[in-house]
Amino acid sequence: MPAITFFEEGISYKLKNKTAVRKWLTDTIVAEGFKLTELNYIFCSDEYLLQINQQYLDHDTYTDIITFDNSEEEGIIVGDIFISIERIKENAGKFSVTEAQELHRVMVHGALHLLGYKDKSAADKKKMTLKEDHYLGERTF
């Protein structure tokens, strides 16, 4: 059974509208032609995500999200997405959006990475942002 699961690591954080968020993310994955098997969102602190960034990606910087694609078959989504709630809160203020809006953007951003979208070049980043905006507009909650 396809599953999106939410965890907290080293922090206490309760995601609002879990059922609606699961449906929205699942619908996003299906709309892109993929099959969801397992997707874990792990909400954590800046320091926890920094350690992951250093250990697994050899980057010594803070970030809002790190996505690990654990899929072994093309078209099948299995992954872990780590999100710093501290970065979400800070970026929400910086971009003048609610924390929920920023969190949803970052959550769909991670899912889009698993679907093959990139964001390193300007052209890829523009395409990613358009996809984020599209799927954010699909939310019904």
Side-chain angles (χ1 to χ4, degrees), residues 25 28-29 39 41 81 106-116:
L25 290 167
T28 297
I29 290 164
L39 182 52
Y41 283 90
I81 298 175
V106 171
M107 291 176 84
V108 79
H109 180 90
L112 289 169
H113 273 306
L114 292 174
L115 300 171

Side-chain angles (χ1 to χ4, degrees), residues 121-132:
S121 73
D124 286 345
K125 190 171 204 144
K126 182 177 180 178
K127 188 174 182 179
M128 173 78 86
T129 300
L130 288 171
K131 281 290 183 177
E132 289 171 10

Side-chain angles (χ1 to χ4, degrees), residues 3 6 11 19 23 29 44 92 107 110 112 114-115 120 127 140:
F6 305 106
I11 64 167
T19 301
K23 181 178 180 346
I29 290 164
C44 59
M107 291 176 84
L112 289 169
L114 292 174
L115 300 171
K120 295 297 179 202
K127 188 174 182 179
T140 58

Side-chain angles (χ1 to χ4, degrees), residues 45-97:
S45 67
D46 268 351
E47 289 304 317
Y48 188 86
L49 200 54
L50 176 62
Q51 288 176 350
I52 289 173
N53 213 3
Q54 292 167 332
Q55 183 177 353
Y56 294 100
L57 303 176
D58 205 24
H59 297 161
D60 193 19
T61 56
Y62 289 101
T63 187
D64 53 358
I65 184 171
I66 295 177
T67 302
F68 292 101
D69 185 348
N70 303 320
S71 301
E72 294 183 5
E73 279 181 66
E74 197 167 316
I76 305 291
I77 298 302
V78 178
D80 296 310
I81 298 175
F82 292 82
I83 297 175
S84 167
I85 295 301
E86 290 170 86
R87 286 295 103 217
I88 296 302
K89 291 177 178 179
E90 185 174 303
N91 288 342
K94 185 172 151 184
F95 300 127
S96 300
V97 297

Side-chain angles (χ1 to χ4, degrees), residues 13 85 88-90 92-93 97-104:
Y13 183 78
I85 295 301
I88 296 302
K89 291 177 178 179
E90 185 174 303
V97 297
T98 68
E99 288 176 19
Q101 288 170 320
E102 182 62 12
L103 178 60
H104 294 161

